[in-house]
Structure formats: structure tokens, C-alpha cells
mmCIF file of all heavy atoms in Angstrom:
data_model
loop_
_atom_site.group_PDB
_atom_site.id
_atom_site.type_symbol
_atom_site.label_atom_id
_atom_site.label_comp_id
_atom_site.label_asym_id
_atom_site.label_seq_id
_atom_site.Cartn_x
_atom_site.Cartn_y
_atom_site.Cartn_z
ATOM 1 N N ASN A 1388 105.620 93.553 134.747
ATOM 2 C CA ASN A 1388 105.330 94.802 135.492
ATOM 3 C C ASN A 1388 105.209 94.634 136.974
ATOM 4 O O ASN A 1388 105.235 95.607 137.720
ATOM 5 C CB ASN A 1388 104.026 95.411 134.952
ATOM 6 C CG ASN A 1388 104.166 96.067 133.623
ATOM 7 O OD1 ASN A 1388 105.156 96.840 133.419
ATOM 8 N ND2 ASN A 1388 103.311 95.888 132.724
ATOM 9 N N GLU A 1389 105.184 93.430 137.482
ATOM 10 C CA GLU A 1389 105.130 93.153 138.865
ATOM 11 C C GLU A 1389 106.473 93.204 139.567
ATOM 12 O O GLU A 1389 107.530 93.101 138.849
ATOM 13 C CB GLU A 1389 104.567 91.732 139.197
ATOM 14 C CG GLU A 1389 103.033 91.641 138.941
ATOM 15 C CD GLU A 1389 102.584 90.172 139.158
ATOM 16 O OE1 GLU A 1389 103.506 89.287 139.200
ATOM 17 O OE2 GLU A 1389 101.390 89.940 139.240
ATOM 18 N N GLU A 1390 106.527 93.438 140.825
ATOM 19 C CA GLU A 1390 107.793 93.352 141.594
ATOM 20 C C GLU A 1390 108.145 91.944 141.692
ATOM 21 O O GLU A 1390 107.247 91.105 141.884
ATOM 22 C CB GLU A 1390 107.619 94.034 142.957
ATOM 23 C CG GLU A 1390 107.636 95.543 142.906
ATOM 24 C CD GLU A 1390 107.766 96.108 144.264
ATOM 25 O OE1 GLU A 1390 108.286 95.384 145.193
ATOM 26 O OE2 GLU A 1390 107.469 97.311 144.460
ATOM 27 N N LEU A 1391 109.410 91.592 141.557
ATOM 28 C CA LEU A 1391 109.868 90.189 141.736
ATOM 29 C C LEU A 1391 109.682 89.724 143.119
ATOM 30 O O LEU A 1391 109.924 90.478 144.113
ATOM 31 C CB LEU A 1391 111.331 90.083 141.381
ATOM 32 C CG LEU A 1391 111.656 90.149 139.888
ATOM 33 C CD1 LEU A 1391 113.175 90.035 139.659
ATOM 34 C CD2 LEU A 1391 111.042 88.949 139.153
ATOM 35 N N GLN A 1392 109.205 88.474 143.280
ATOM 36 C CA GLN A 1392 109.031 87.896 144.587
ATOM 37 C C GLN A 1392 110.159 86.947 144.904
ATOM 38 O O GLN A 1392 110.498 86.093 144.085
ATOM 39 C CB GLN A 1392 107.695 87.138 144.626
ATOM 40 C CG GLN A 1392 106.469 87.930 144.408
ATOM 41 C CD GLN A 1392 106.263 89.058 145.425
ATOM 42 O OE1 GLN A 1392 106.386 88.844 146.609
ATOM 43 N NE2 GLN A 1392 105.998 90.257 144.954
ATOM 44 N N GLY A 1393 110.789 87.155 146.024
ATOM 45 C CA GLY A 1393 111.894 86.335 146.408
ATOM 46 C C GLY A 1393 111.478 85.177 147.268
ATOM 47 O O GLY A 1393 110.312 84.700 147.304
ATOM 48 N N PHE A 1394 112.429 84.670 148.032
ATOM 49 C CA PHE A 1394 112.153 83.483 148.896
ATOM 50 C C PHE A 1394 111.759 83.885 150.294
ATOM 51 O O PHE A 1394 111.364 83.063 151.122
ATOM 52 C CB PHE A 1394 113.370 82.587 149.024
ATOM 53 C CG PHE A 1394 114.142 82.366 147.743
ATOM 54 C CD1 PHE A 1394 115.416 82.675 147.617
ATOM 55 C CD2 PHE A 1394 113.456 81.848 146.649
ATOM 56 C CE1 PHE A 1394 116.067 82.455 146.366
ATOM 57 C CE2 PHE A 1394 114.070 81.594 145.462
ATOM 58 C CZ PHE A 1394 115.430 81.915 145.305
ATOM 59 N N GLY A 1395 111.787 85.200 150.585
ATOM 60 C CA GLY A 1395 111.490 85.653 151.928
ATOM 61 C C GLY A 1395 112.843 85.955 152.657
ATOM 62 O O GLY A 1395 113.864 85.503 152.272
ATOM 63 N N GLU A 1396 112.798 86.916 153.587
ATOM 64 C CA GLU A 1396 114.006 87.346 154.246
ATOM 65 C C GLU A 1396 114.617 86.168 155.029
ATOM 66 O O GLU A 1396 113.930 85.428 155.684
ATOM 67 C CB GLU A 1396 113.653 88.504 155.209
ATOM 68 C CG GLU A 1396 113.266 89.804 154.473
ATOM 69 C CD GLU A 1396 114.381 90.431 153.711
ATOM 70 O OE1 GLU A 1396 115.558 90.472 154.270
ATOM 71 O OE2 GLU A 1396 114.189 90.887 152.587
ATOM 72 N N ARG A 1397 115.937 86.094 154.943
ATOM 73 C CA ARG A 1397 116.637 85.069 155.700
ATOM 74 C C ARG A 1397 116.905 85.601 157.139
ATOM 75 O O ARG A 1397 117.045 86.829 157.372
ATOM 76 C CB ARG A 1397 117.984 84.770 154.989
ATOM 77 C CG ARG A 1397 117.865 84.281 153.571
ATOM 78 C CD ARG A 1397 117.402 82.870 153.494
ATOM 79 N NE ARG A 1397 117.271 82.387 152.159
ATOM 80 C CZ ARG A 1397 118.114 81.591 151.516
ATOM 81 N NH1 ARG A 1397 119.218 81.163 152.134
ATOM 82 N NH2 ARG A 1397 117.871 81.189 150.276
ATOM 83 N N ASP A 1398 117.064 84.686 158.062
ATOM 84 C CA ASP A 1398 117.272 85.033 159.446
ATOM 85 C C ASP A 1398 118.757 84.974 159.740
ATOM 86 O O ASP A 1398 119.293 83.871 159.986
ATOM 87 C CB ASP A 1398 116.535 84.056 160.357
ATOM 88 C CG ASP A 1398 116.622 84.549 161.786
ATOM 89 O OD1 ASP A 1398 116.983 85.690 162.055
ATOM 90 O OD2 ASP A 1398 116.329 83.697 162.736
ATOM 91 N N TYR A 1399 119.457 86.125 159.627
ATOM 92 C CA TYR A 1399 120.902 86.109 159.857
ATOM 93 C C TYR A 1399 121.188 86.783 161.239
ATOM 94 O O TYR A 1399 120.446 87.633 161.683
ATOM 95 C CB TYR A 1399 121.601 86.966 158.802
ATOM 96 C CG TYR A 1399 121.538 86.399 157.403
ATOM 97 C CD1 TYR A 1399 120.976 87.112 156.341
ATOM 98 C CD2 TYR A 1399 122.082 85.135 157.071
ATOM 99 C CE1 TYR A 1399 120.817 86.563 155.119
ATOM 100 C CE2 TYR A 1399 122.044 84.635 155.784
ATOM 101 C CZ TYR A 1399 121.411 85.360 154.815
ATOM 102 O OH TYR A 1399 121.350 84.860 153.565
ATOM 103 N N SER A 1400 122.270 86.359 161.843
ATOM 104 C CA SER A 1400 122.777 87.120 163.022
ATOM 105 C C SER A 1400 123.233 88.486 162.549
ATOM 106 O O SER A 1400 123.469 88.721 161.326
ATOM 107 C CB SER A 1400 123.921 86.296 163.660
ATOM 108 O OG SER A 1400 125.014 86.309 162.803
ATOM 109 N N GLU A 1401 123.400 89.407 163.504
ATOM 110 C CA GLU A 1401 123.803 90.723 163.146
ATOM 111 C C GLU A 1401 125.163 90.758 162.426
ATOM 112 O O GLU A 1401 125.387 91.409 161.444
ATOM 113 C CB GLU A 1401 123.921 91.587 164.408
ATOM 114 C CG GLU A 1401 124.273 93.070 164.108
ATOM 115 C CD GLU A 1401 124.317 93.897 165.370
ATOM 116 O OE1 GLU A 1401 123.893 93.433 166.458
ATOM 117 O OE2 GLU A 1401 124.768 95.042 165.252
ATOM 118 N N LYS A 1402 126.081 89.900 162.942
ATOM 119 C CA LYS A 1402 127.471 89.854 162.336
ATOM 120 C C LYS A 1402 127.365 89.255 160.908
ATOM 121 O O LYS A 1402 128.013 89.744 160.046
ATOM 122 C CB LYS A 1402 128.335 88.955 163.249
ATOM 123 C CG LYS A 1402 129.799 88.915 162.816
ATOM 124 C CD LYS A 1402 130.531 88.143 163.783
ATOM 125 C CE LYS A 1402 132.109 88.104 163.381
ATOM 126 N NZ LYS A 1402 132.880 87.306 164.383
ATOM 127 N N GLU A 1403 126.568 88.137 160.803
ATOM 128 C CA GLU A 1403 126.446 87.534 159.469
ATOM 129 C C GLU A 1403 125.764 88.542 158.517
ATOM 130 O O GLU A 1403 126.087 88.610 157.273
ATOM 131 C CB GLU A 1403 125.647 86.302 159.563
ATOM 132 C CG GLU A 1403 125.436 85.530 158.281
ATOM 133 C CD GLU A 1403 126.759 84.784 157.825
ATOM 134 O OE1 GLU A 1403 127.734 84.738 158.556
ATOM 135 O OE2 GLU A 1403 126.713 84.127 156.804
ATOM 136 N N TYR A 1404 124.737 89.207 158.980
ATOM 137 C CA TYR A 1404 124.019 90.168 158.127
ATOM 138 C C TYR A 1404 124.966 91.233 157.623
ATOM 139 O O TYR A 1404 124.885 91.603 156.441
ATOM 140 C CB TYR A 1404 122.828 90.771 158.887
ATOM 141 C CG TYR A 1404 121.990 91.712 158.073
ATOM 142 C CD1 TYR A 1404 120.864 91.217 157.391
ATOM 143 C CD2 TYR A 1404 122.339 93.052 157.945
ATOM 144 C CE1 TYR A 1404 120.134 92.057 156.611
ATOM 145 C CE2 TYR A 1404 121.551 93.904 157.188
ATOM 146 C CZ TYR A 1404 120.422 93.395 156.500
ATOM 147 O OH TYR A 1404 119.687 94.242 155.739
ATOM 148 N N ASP A 1405 125.768 91.810 158.471
ATOM 149 C CA ASP A 1405 126.765 92.845 158.103
ATOM 150 C C ASP A 1405 127.653 92.344 157.016
ATOM 151 O O ASP A 1405 127.987 93.080 156.058
ATOM 152 C CB ASP A 1405 127.540 93.343 159.326
ATOM 153 C CG ASP A 1405 126.689 94.150 160.253
ATOM 154 O OD1 ASP A 1405 125.540 94.541 159.891
ATOM 155 O OD2 ASP A 1405 127.124 94.308 161.464
ATOM 156 N N TYR A 1406 128.150 91.112 157.195
ATOM 157 C CA TYR A 1406 129.115 90.552 156.234
ATOM 158 C C TYR A 1406 128.455 90.351 154.861
ATOM 159 O O TYR A 1406 128.999 90.804 153.860
ATOM 160 C CB TYR A 1406 129.638 89.187 156.793
ATOM 161 C CG TYR A 1406 130.410 88.374 155.763
ATOM 162 C CD1 TYR A 1406 131.517 88.881 155.182
ATOM 163 C CD2 TYR A 1406 130.054 87.047 155.541
ATOM 164 C CE1 TYR A 1406 132.252 88.141 154.249
ATOM 165 C CE2 TYR A 1406 130.787 86.292 154.608
ATOM 166 C CZ TYR A 1406 131.844 86.849 154.003
ATOM 167 O OH TYR A 1406 132.595 86.135 153.039
ATOM 168 N N ARG A 1407 127.257 89.744 154.836
ATOM 169 C CA ARG A 1407 126.563 89.513 153.567
ATOM 170 C C ARG A 1407 126.115 90.847 152.909
ATOM 171 O O ARG A 1407 126.139 90.942 151.702
ATOM 172 C CB ARG A 1407 125.453 88.520 153.779
ATOM 173 C CG ARG A 1407 125.929 87.102 154.168
ATOM 174 C CD ARG A 1407 124.865 86.123 154.377
ATOM 175 N NE ARG A 1407 125.373 84.814 154.668
ATOM 176 C CZ ARG A 1407 125.703 83.883 153.761
ATOM 177 N NH1 ARG A 1407 125.585 84.242 152.466
ATOM 178 N NH2 ARG A 1407 126.212 82.717 154.167
ATOM 179 N N SER A 1408 125.659 91.765 153.736
ATOM 180 C CA SER A 1408 125.252 93.026 153.173
ATOM 181 C C SER A 1408 126.404 93.718 152.482
ATOM 182 O O SER A 1408 126.343 94.331 151.457
ATOM 183 C CB SER A 1408 124.687 93.942 154.301
ATOM 184 O OG SER A 1408 124.420 95.218 153.790
ATOM 185 N N TRP A 1409 127.603 93.656 153.087
ATOM 186 C CA TRP A 1409 128.820 94.214 152.568
ATOM 187 C C TRP A 1409 129.172 93.573 151.238
ATOM 188 O O TRP A 1409 129.469 94.286 150.231
ATOM 189 C CB TRP A 1409 129.956 93.996 153.599
ATOM 190 C CG TRP A 1409 131.263 94.623 153.265
ATOM 191 C CD1 TRP A 1409 131.699 95.897 153.537
ATOM 192 C CD2 TRP A 1409 132.369 93.920 152.701
ATOM 193 N NE1 TRP A 1409 132.968 96.087 153.094
ATOM 194 C CE2 TRP A 1409 133.462 94.869 152.529
ATOM 195 C CE3 TRP A 1409 132.578 92.631 152.222
ATOM 196 C CZ2 TRP A 1409 134.689 94.529 152.035
ATOM 197 C CZ3 TRP A 1409 133.803 92.305 151.678
ATOM 198 C CH2 TRP A 1409 134.821 93.229 151.564
ATOM 199 N N LEU A 1410 129.072 92.232 151.140
ATOM 200 C CA LEU A 1410 129.369 91.528 149.913
ATOM 201 C C LEU A 1410 128.349 91.949 148.801
ATOM 202 O O LEU A 1410 128.751 92.130 147.636
ATOM 203 C CB LEU A 1410 129.322 90.037 150.090
ATOM 204 C CG LEU A 1410 130.419 89.453 150.964
ATOM 205 C CD1 LEU A 1410 130.187 87.888 151.072
ATOM 206 C CD2 LEU A 1410 131.772 89.704 150.460
ATOM 207 N N SER A 1411 127.092 92.049 149.181
ATOM 208 C CA SER A 1411 126.117 92.456 148.198
ATOM 209 C C SER A 1411 126.332 93.870 147.646
ATOM 210 O O SER A 1411 126.189 94.040 146.429
ATOM 211 C CB SER A 1411 124.706 92.423 148.921
ATOM 212 O OG SER A 1411 123.703 92.875 147.993
ATOM 213 N N GLY A 1412 126.823 94.739 148.503
ATOM 214 C CA GLY A 1412 127.118 96.114 147.985
ATOM 215 C C GLY A 1412 128.171 96.110 146.934
ATOM 216 O O GLY A 1412 128.133 96.958 145.988
ATOM 217 N N PHE A 1413 129.156 95.184 147.007
ATOM 218 C CA PHE A 1413 130.185 95.049 145.995
ATOM 219 C C PHE A 1413 129.889 94.107 144.950
ATOM 220 O O PHE A 1413 130.706 93.841 143.994
ATOM 221 C CB PHE A 1413 131.559 94.747 146.684
ATOM 222 C CG PHE A 1413 132.153 95.839 147.519
ATOM 223 C CD1 PHE A 1413 132.088 95.740 148.906
ATOM 224 C CD2 PHE A 1413 132.617 96.968 146.944
ATOM 225 C CE1 PHE A 1413 132.623 96.790 149.733
ATOM 226 C CE2 PHE A 1413 133.177 97.996 147.731
ATOM 227 C CZ PHE A 1413 133.144 97.881 149.106
ATOM 228 N N ARG A 1414 128.748 93.438 144.984
ATOM 229 C CA ARG A 1414 128.346 92.346 144.062
ATOM 230 C C ARG A 1414 129.454 91.307 143.947
ATOM 231 O O ARG A 1414 129.978 91.085 142.820
ATOM 232 C CB ARG A 1414 128.037 92.997 142.672
ATOM 233 C CG ARG A 1414 126.728 93.742 142.721
ATOM 234 C CD ARG A 1414 126.024 93.753 141.350
ATOM 235 N NE ARG A 1414 126.651 94.509 140.378
ATOM 236 C CZ ARG A 1414 126.501 95.831 140.186
ATOM 237 N NH1 ARG A 1414 125.653 96.463 140.990
ATOM 238 N NH2 ARG A 1414 127.061 96.502 139.232
ATOM 239 N N LEU A 1415 129.761 90.679 145.050
ATOM 240 C CA LEU A 1415 130.872 89.714 145.100
ATOM 241 C C LEU A 1415 130.334 88.281 145.348
ATOM 242 O O LEU A 1415 131.138 87.394 145.575
ATOM 243 C CB LEU A 1415 131.885 90.089 146.184
ATOM 244 C CG LEU A 1415 132.841 91.241 145.818
ATOM 245 C CD1 LEU A 1415 133.613 91.690 147.001
ATOM 246 C CD2 LEU A 1415 133.674 90.936 144.688
ATOM 247 N N PHE A 1416 129.063 88.035 145.378
ATOM 248 C CA PHE A 1416 128.499 86.708 145.602
ATOM 249 C C PHE A 1416 128.671 85.923 144.307
ATOM 250 O O PHE A 1416 128.573 86.418 143.202
ATOM 251 C CB PHE A 1416 127.070 86.700 145.975
ATOM 252 C CG PHE A 1416 126.814 87.081 147.411
ATOM 253 C CD1 PHE A 1416 126.079 88.221 147.825
ATOM 254 C CD2 PHE A 1416 127.280 86.246 148.478
ATOM 255 C CE1 PHE A 1416 125.869 88.535 149.121
ATOM 256 C CE2 PHE A 1416 127.082 86.598 149.802
ATOM 257 C CZ PHE A 1416 126.401 87.747 150.148
ATOM 258 N N LEU A 1417 128.905 84.625 144.478
ATOM 259 C CA LEU A 1417 128.897 83.697 143.352
ATOM 260 C C LEU A 1417 127.527 83.243 143.072
ATOM 261 O O LEU A 1417 127.067 82.095 143.418
ATOM 262 C CB LEU A 1417 129.827 82.485 143.641
ATOM 263 C CG LEU A 1417 131.340 82.775 143.722
ATOM 264 C CD1 LEU A 1417 132.095 81.524 144.118
ATOM 265 C CD2 LEU A 1417 131.895 83.319 142.377
ATOM 266 N N ASN A 1418 126.740 84.170 142.529
ATOM 267 C CA ASN A 1418 125.309 84.001 142.359
ATOM 268 C C ASN A 1418 124.910 84.953 141.246
ATOM 269 O O ASN A 1418 124.938 86.152 141.452
ATOM 270 C CB ASN A 1418 124.625 84.293 143.681
ATOM 271 C CG ASN A 1418 123.140 84.353 143.538
ATOM 272 O OD1 ASN A 1418 122.526 84.006 142.532
ATOM 273 N ND2 ASN A 1418 122.493 84.831 144.588
ATOM 274 N N ILE A 1419 124.544 84.437 140.131
ATOM 275 C CA ILE A 1419 124.253 85.254 138.986
ATOM 276 C C ILE A 1419 123.148 86.242 139.150
ATOM 277 O O ILE A 1419 123.157 87.337 138.704
ATOM 278 C CB ILE A 1419 123.970 84.426 137.737
ATOM 279 C CG1 ILE A 1419 124.263 85.089 136.418
ATOM 280 C CG2 ILE A 1419 122.570 83.849 137.744
ATOM 281 C CD1 ILE A 1419 125.688 85.187 136.096
ATOM 282 N N GLU A 1420 122.137 85.904 140.047
ATOM 283 C CA GLU A 1420 121.018 86.790 140.252
ATOM 284 C C GLU A 1420 121.414 87.996 141.042
ATOM 285 O O GLU A 1420 120.733 89.029 140.985
ATOM 286 C CB GLU A 1420 119.875 86.016 140.979
ATOM 287 C CG GLU A 1420 119.200 84.968 140.135
ATOM 288 C CD GLU A 1420 119.903 83.622 140.200
ATOM 289 O OE1 GLU A 1420 120.988 83.537 140.731
ATOM 290 O OE2 GLU A 1420 119.312 82.612 139.784
ATOM 291 N N SER A 1421 122.508 87.920 141.829
ATOM 292 C CA SER A 1421 122.884 89.044 142.644
ATOM 293 C C SER A 1421 123.432 90.216 141.833
ATOM 294 O O SER A 1421 123.649 91.301 142.320
ATOM 295 C CB SER A 1421 123.904 88.643 143.663
ATOM 296 O OG SER A 1421 125.100 88.184 143.086
ATOM 297 N N GLU A 1422 123.544 89.975 140.498
ATOM 298 C CA GLU A 1422 123.893 91.128 139.627
ATOM 299 C C GLU A 1422 122.718 92.158 139.639
ATOM 300 O O GLU A 1422 122.879 93.323 139.352
ATOM 301 C CB GLU A 1422 124.083 90.636 138.151
ATOM 302 C CG GLU A 1422 125.381 89.907 137.931
ATOM 303 C CD GLU A 1422 126.593 90.771 138.184
ATOM 304 O OE1 GLU A 1422 126.658 91.884 137.648
ATOM 305 O OE2 GLU A 1422 127.404 90.400 139.011
ATOM 306 N N LEU A 1423 121.492 91.631 139.849
ATOM 307 C CA LEU A 1423 120.291 92.453 139.666
ATOM 308 C C LEU A 1423 119.549 92.700 140.939
ATOM 309 O O LEU A 1423 118.869 93.728 141.069
ATOM 310 C CB LEU A 1423 119.329 91.715 138.672
ATOM 311 C CG LEU A 1423 119.961 91.280 137.365
ATOM 312 C CD1 LEU A 1423 118.985 90.343 136.628
ATOM 313 C CD2 LEU A 1423 120.331 92.410 136.508
ATOM 314 N N ILE A 1424 119.576 91.766 141.885
ATOM 315 C CA ILE A 1424 118.716 91.837 143.051
ATOM 316 C C ILE A 1424 119.548 91.916 144.326
ATOM 317 O O ILE A 1424 120.373 91.100 144.569
ATOM 318 C CB ILE A 1424 117.837 90.586 143.103
ATOM 319 C CG1 ILE A 1424 117.057 90.404 141.787
ATOM 320 C CG2 ILE A 1424 116.849 90.676 144.271
ATOM 321 C CD1 ILE A 1424 116.339 89.120 141.686
ATOM 322 N N VAL A 1425 119.356 93.025 145.104
ATOM 323 C CA VAL A 1425 120.124 93.222 146.315
ATOM 324 C C VAL A 1425 119.455 92.624 147.536
ATOM 325 O O VAL A 1425 119.997 92.705 148.613
ATOM 326 C CB VAL A 1425 120.430 94.728 146.528
ATOM 327 C CG1 VAL A 1425 121.256 95.256 145.368
ATOM 328 C CG2 VAL A 1425 119.072 95.500 146.624
ATOM 329 N N SER A 1426 118.286 92.063 147.385
ATOM 330 C CA SER A 1426 117.494 91.492 148.510
ATOM 331 C C SER A 1426 118.355 90.398 149.165
ATOM 332 O O SER A 1426 119.140 89.663 148.528
ATOM 333 C CB SER A 1426 116.221 90.922 148.019
ATOM 334 O OG SER A 1426 115.651 90.078 149.004
ATOM 335 N N SER A 1427 118.212 90.263 150.491
ATOM 336 C CA SER A 1427 118.972 89.212 151.178
ATOM 337 C C SER A 1427 118.561 87.799 150.809
ATOM 338 O O SER A 1427 119.269 86.831 151.138
ATOM 339 C CB SER A 1427 118.762 89.382 152.723
ATOM 340 O OG SER A 1427 117.413 89.219 153.124
ATOM 341 N N ASP A 1428 117.506 87.673 150.022
ATOM 342 C CA ASP A 1428 117.074 86.383 149.463
ATOM 343 C C ASP A 1428 118.230 85.745 148.661
ATOM 344 O O ASP A 1428 118.380 84.512 148.618
ATOM 345 C CB ASP A 1428 115.917 86.496 148.529
ATOM 346 C CG ASP A 1428 114.646 87.065 149.205
ATOM 347 O OD1 ASP A 1428 114.825 87.579 150.309
ATOM 348 O OD2 ASP A 1428 113.635 86.928 148.603
ATOM 349 N N PHE A 1429 119.043 86.613 148.063
ATOM 350 C CA PHE A 1429 120.021 86.148 147.077
ATOM 351 C C PHE A 1429 121.450 86.371 147.641
ATOM 352 O O PHE A 1429 122.421 86.432 146.855
ATOM 353 C CB PHE A 1429 119.872 86.860 145.789
ATOM 354 C CG PHE A 1429 118.506 86.632 145.148
ATOM 355 C CD1 PHE A 1429 117.406 87.426 145.414
ATOM 356 C CD2 PHE A 1429 118.324 85.532 144.319
ATOM 357 C CE1 PHE A 1429 116.177 87.174 144.875
ATOM 358 C CE2 PHE A 1429 117.108 85.220 143.752
ATOM 359 C CZ PHE A 1429 115.987 86.048 144.043
#
């Protein structure tokens, strides 16, 4: 029932953040957890 705890927000540059946020929106990371969690932790 608790909210999942991640690793903490990563420190990305603005350009890197935009790129990774875009990939997360399409679920294109090679990371099984990103199917479920949109946090930048993953």
C-alpha cells in the first residue's frame, strides 16, 4: 500500500533531461522497471 521508493532524482543537464524524459514517455528504455515507473530514477 506504500508508494514505491526510488533511488532519488538524478542530476541531468537540461538537454539530457529532455532526451530521457522523451524516451520515458514512449517506454523505450532497456529497463524492465520502466514499464511501470516513469520516475527519472529508472
Side-chain angles (χ1 to χ4, degrees):
N1388 284 315
E1389 287 177 344
E1390 286 192 18
L1391 284 176
Q1392 299 299 314
F1394 315 123
E1396 292 292 317
R1397 303 284 178 105
D1398 185 19
Y1399 295 119
S1400 67
E1401 182 178 352
K1402 186 175 181 181
E1403 181 77 4
Y1404 184 91
D1405 290 344
Y1406 170 55
R1407 292 181 179 273
S1408 174
W1409 184 85
L1410 293 180
S1411 176
F1413 289 108
R1414 290 208 287 273
L1415 286 172
F1416 282 117
L1417 291 176
N1418 171 11
I1419 203 77
E1420 291 87 348
S1421 63
E1422 288 299 306
L1423 309 169
I1424 306 171
V1425 297
S1426 166
S1427 62
D1428 299 15
F1429 298 91

